[in-house]
Amino acid sequence: MPENQPTISDRIQRELDRLTRAERQLAHSILENYPASGLGPLATLAKDANVSAPTVARMVQKLGFKGYPEFQTELREELKAKAKNPIAKHDTWAEGAPSGHVLNRFTDAVIDNIRHTLGQIDPDDFDAACGLIGDPDRALYIVGGRITHTMAEYLFLHAQVIRAAVTHIQSTSNTWPHYLLDVKEGDVFVIFDNRRYENNTLKLAEMAHTKGAKIILFTDQWRSPVHHLADICFSSRIVVPSAWDSAATTLLLVETVIAAIQDQNWAQTKDRTERLEDMFDQTKLFRKFT
Amino acid sequence: MPENQPTISDRIQRELDRLTRAERQLAHSILENYPASGLGPLATLAKDANVSAPTVARMVQKLGFKGYPEFQTELREELKAKAKNPIAKHDTWAEGAPSGHVLNRFTDAVIDNIRHTLGQIDPDDFDAACGLIGDPDRALYIVGGRITHTMAEYLFLHAQVIRAAVTHIQSTSNTWPHYLLDVKEGDVFVIFDNRRYENNTLKLAEMAHTKGAKIILFTDQWRSPVHHLADICFSSRIVVPSAWDSAATTLLLVETVIAAIQDQNWAQTKDRTERLEDMFDQTKLFRKFT
DNA sequence: AGAATTGTGTTACAAAAAGAACAGAAGCCG
DNA sequence: CGGCTTCTGTTCTTTTTGTAACACAATTCT
């Protein structure tokens, strides 16, 4: 007896399309901390979602309840049922999937990776790395390998908005030596290298090192050989129940770096973002007439 | 501050001796199905416990609350906190960094995103999606936009190893219409589209849809307009303390999909991997002699 | 671009709930 | 056993809360 009565949360999601803008906004607010927010007074819920009270009343009726009180009553019933259920579905991420489902196994592993990785990071290293990456007086080179290339590109795309003088190098390409021509002492290399470590990447790192560039390395728990040359090294746990490795933790670090350097150079970022938007707009206009 | 504030349940139990008969009766009724019953109207609670309404009001004041509404508010807060803490017990992820450090703030947000996202995924949808993506009889097209392009590429790189007939399309490129020439009914499109949703992506989706292709969409919590055309839609929470959005959750899903379809087609994957290794080796040999 | 439709917030009203005051019941002392 | 204290339920008032009606805003369609 899996009692798979659709929960109110399910119902909201299913009707999401049929809802209007304000109602959707409200719906998300409800799901945000479900079910607690739905159990408060209507007005509070409305305020939290930045919609008017009647919107709440209307949506609730759209969902098939007679009124807000009835909605709350069913929410409480649901909560009661859930509390009664002795099944500890608390260690399950995707509710409704057995705990052995790949969704749950994989997520478990990734969360674990994150915890381990973050636990080993020295905040000072991190801040120092952000200082280097965000420093507009140093040219920034971002290097990725075959798979890590995606991480490199992700960082590149964002760094490009935040600051000038950013270059993205694919170590797998034959053309990378060209990029090294202009490297000066004090320039910064962000290098991604996970197993299986790539020879090209190591060569590139050596050259950069010789030229006196600072090297920040993102690697895995076993550490790329590049780490001997690196000034700062972040190693992520990347093991997951799969034939491949996970880049999720690395991405988390990259995104955090982005957030940090964006804060650090906020004035500049804002300006550059606006100019970028302008240019996009112009592109669109241009397209219109073609 | 490990916030080991005693829960209201604790408070009730501790005060149990100081309560009178009717109040104790009520207290037990509250604990019976905690916290659901306490979140309903006062009168209901009174009736369920076979006491009068003022008894409820009095007891609640004895527990130190100003009135019943305040009691309820705190109950809701407690519920909210509880829902947040299935694993996020970690006040700080990066030990040694203050909890306000961007490393901790960001990680918190991402874990939260993961939790929300996974909680809303229908495992059947997920399995269905994997079935389609892994089906070697259907051509697979992977589409990304400006930023999501990195996700698309990540999936592409792995899918390519697992199966044949995989194509990676950048919706930002002008050349995408060419790729649609050979699309047949039953082919599969995996489309990534986060805000700000891209018009090109929508157009592309429309064409694919017209041709009778199956569409699997990875989008954010507000859902790209493509979702009207999608057969299966996964929406990730992507909000983080940054001017940009987080792709970490999306990546987690993508990696899980990869793990799933790799299991599904293990024999094939193994074969292809070996052949790929061979080819890499040959490349290396070739280089050796140049 | 204008008209019709749909969605949304403000106001006003009705219902309901919580709190206060009171009166009756039960237990506890002399 | 009667008077006192403590507890409990009923009634009434005040406040809060939900809902309905309206008018304005946004959107869509023609």
Side-chain angles (χ1 to χ4, degrees), chain A residues 101-119:
Chain A
H101 192 279
V102 63
L103 270 171
N104 289 318
R105 285 193 352 257
F106 208 96
T107 306
D108 267 346
V110 168
I111 300 279
D112 222 50
N113 285 342
I114 291 175
R115 193 175 335 166
H116 270 86
T117 304
L118 270 284

Side-chain angles (χ1 to χ4, degrees), chain A residues 13 17 28 32-33 36 76 80 94 101 115 118 127 149-150 153 196 242-243 246-247 255 262 277 280, chain B residues 33 36 76 80 90 101 116 120 127 149-150 153 196 221 223 227 237 242-243 246-247 255 262 277:
Chain A
Q13 287 205 245
D17 304 334
H28 279 120
E32 191 64 22
N33 25 19
R76 279 197 302 273
K80 221 188 273 183
H101 192 279
R115 193 175 335 166
L118 270 284
D127 294 338
H149 161 245
T150 50
E153 187 183 37
R196 317 167 22 172
S242 161
S246 166
E255 289 190 328
Q262 157 224 291
E277 300 279 323
F280 274 132
Chain B
N33 27 21
R76 278 197 304 272
K80 219 187 275 184
H90 267 263
H101 192 279
H116 265 90
Q120 297 186 345
D127 294 337
H149 160 245
T150 48
E153 188 182 35
R196 319 166 22 173
Q221 60 191 126
R223 290 178 168 182
H227 95 269
R237 274 237 316 206
S242 160
S246 167
E255 290 189 329
Q262 157 225 289
E277 299 281 323

Side-chain angles (χ1 to χ4, degrees), chain A residues 9-10 13-14 16-17 24 28 31-41 44 48 72 76-77 79-80 83-84 90 93-98 101-108 110-111 114-115 118-124 126-127 130 146-147 149-151 153-154 157-158 160-162 170 172 174 196 199-200 240-249 251-253 255-256 258-260 262-263 266 269 273 276-277 280-281 284 287, chain B residues 32-41 44 48 72 76-77 79-80 82-84 86-87 90 93-98 101-107 110-112 114-116 118-123 126-127 146-147 149-151 153-154 157-158 160-162 172 174 196 199-200 221-223 227-228 235 237 239-249 251-253 255-256 258-260 262-263 266 269 273 276-277 280-281 284 287:
Chain A
S9 163
D10 292 340
Q13 287 205 245
R14 205 139 45 74
L16 215 57
D17 304 334
R24 251 198 307 274
H28 279 120
L31 295 177
E32 191 64 22
N33 25 19
Y34 181 87
S37 51
L39 292 164
T44 308
D48 282 356
Q72 284 193 317
R76 279 197 302 273
E77 289 301 321
L79 186 64
K80 221 188 273 183
K84 273 252 177 351
H90 263 301
W93 299 91
E95 299 177 21
H101 192 279
V102 63
L103 270 171
N104 289 318
R105 285 193 352 257
F106 208 96
T107 306
D108 267 346
V110 168
I111 300 279
I114 291 175
R115 193 175 335 166
L118 270 284
Q120 294 185 346
I121 285 190
D122 181 343
D124 294 332
F126 182 84
D127 294 338
C130 292
R146 197 173 72 89
I147 297 287
H149 161 245
T150 50
M151 295 295 115
E153 187 183 37
Y154 193 83
L157 280 170
H158 289 88
Q160 211 182 17
V161 179
I162 296 173
Q170 282 194 248
T172 49
N174 291 324
R196 317 167 22 172
N199 237 309
N200 277 325
V240 278
S242 161
W244 287 283
D245 297 318
S246 166
T249 310
L251 182 62
L252 169 61
L253 288 180
E255 289 190 328
T256 311
I258 293 169
Q262 157 224 291
D263 270 2
W266 180 234
T269 305
T273 312
L276 186 67
E277 300 279 323
F280 274 132
D281 285 350
K284 260 182 206 147
R287 287 238 179 87
Chain B
E32 190 64 24
N33 27 21
Y34 180 87
S37 51
L39 292 164
T44 309
D48 282 356
Q72 284 194 317
R76 278 197 304 272
E77 287 301 321
L79 186 64
K80 219 187 275 184
K82 195 175 166 187
K84 268 230 154 54
I87 186 122
H90 267 263
W93 299 87
E95 301 167 26
H101 192 279
V102 64
L103 269 171
N104 288 317
R105 286 195 350 258
F106 209 96
T107 306
V110 168
I111 299 279
D112 220 50
I114 291 176
R115 204 167 45 78
H116 265 90
L118 271 283
Q120 297 186 345
I121 283 191
D122 181 342
F126 183 84
D127 294 337
R146 196 171 71 86
I147 298 287
H149 160 245
T150 48
M151 296 294 116
E153 188 182 35
Y154 192 83
L157 281 169
H158 289 87
Q160 212 180 16
V161 178
I162 296 173
T172 48
N174 292 322
R196 319 166 22 173
N199 236 309
N200 278 324
Q221 60 191 126
W222 301 282
R223 290 178 168 182
H227 95 269
H228 294 292
S235 45
R237 274 237 316 206
V239 285
V240 278
S242 160
W244 287 283
D245 298 318
S246 167
T249 311
L251 181 63
L252 169 60
L253 289 181
E255 290 189 329
T256 311
I258 292 168
Q262 157 225 289
D263 270 2
W266 180 233
T269 304
T273 313
L276 186 66
E277 299 281 323
F280 273 132
D281 284 350
K284 261 181 205 148
R287 285 238 181 87

Side-chain angles (χ1 to χ4, degrees), chain A residues 161-230:
Chain A
V161 179
I162 296 173
R163 48 161 291 167
V166 190
T167 311
H168 179 199
I169 306 178
Q170 282 194 248
S171 70
T172 49
S173 153
N174 291 324
T175 61
W176 62 259
H178 301 229
Y179 290 103
L180 292 189
L181 276 173
D182 299 327
V183 173
K184 298 185 307 294
E185 185 170 345
D187 284 353
V188 178
F189 274 72
V190 175
I191 299 181
F192 294 88
D193 196 23
N194 283 1
R195 71 168 179 195
R196 317 167 22 172
Y197 313 114
E198 296 182 36
N199 237 309
N200 277 325
T201 305
L202 180 57
K203 291 249 176 66
L204 196 157
E206 278 165 356
M207 283 198 179
H209 184 70
T210 308
K211 291 210 165 199
K214 296 275 180 187
I215 294 182
I216 298 166
L217 173 67
F218 287 85
T219 182
D220 55 41
Q221 59 194 122
W222 301 283
R223 289 182 170 181
S224 147
V226 173
H227 95 268
H228 292 115
L229 309 166

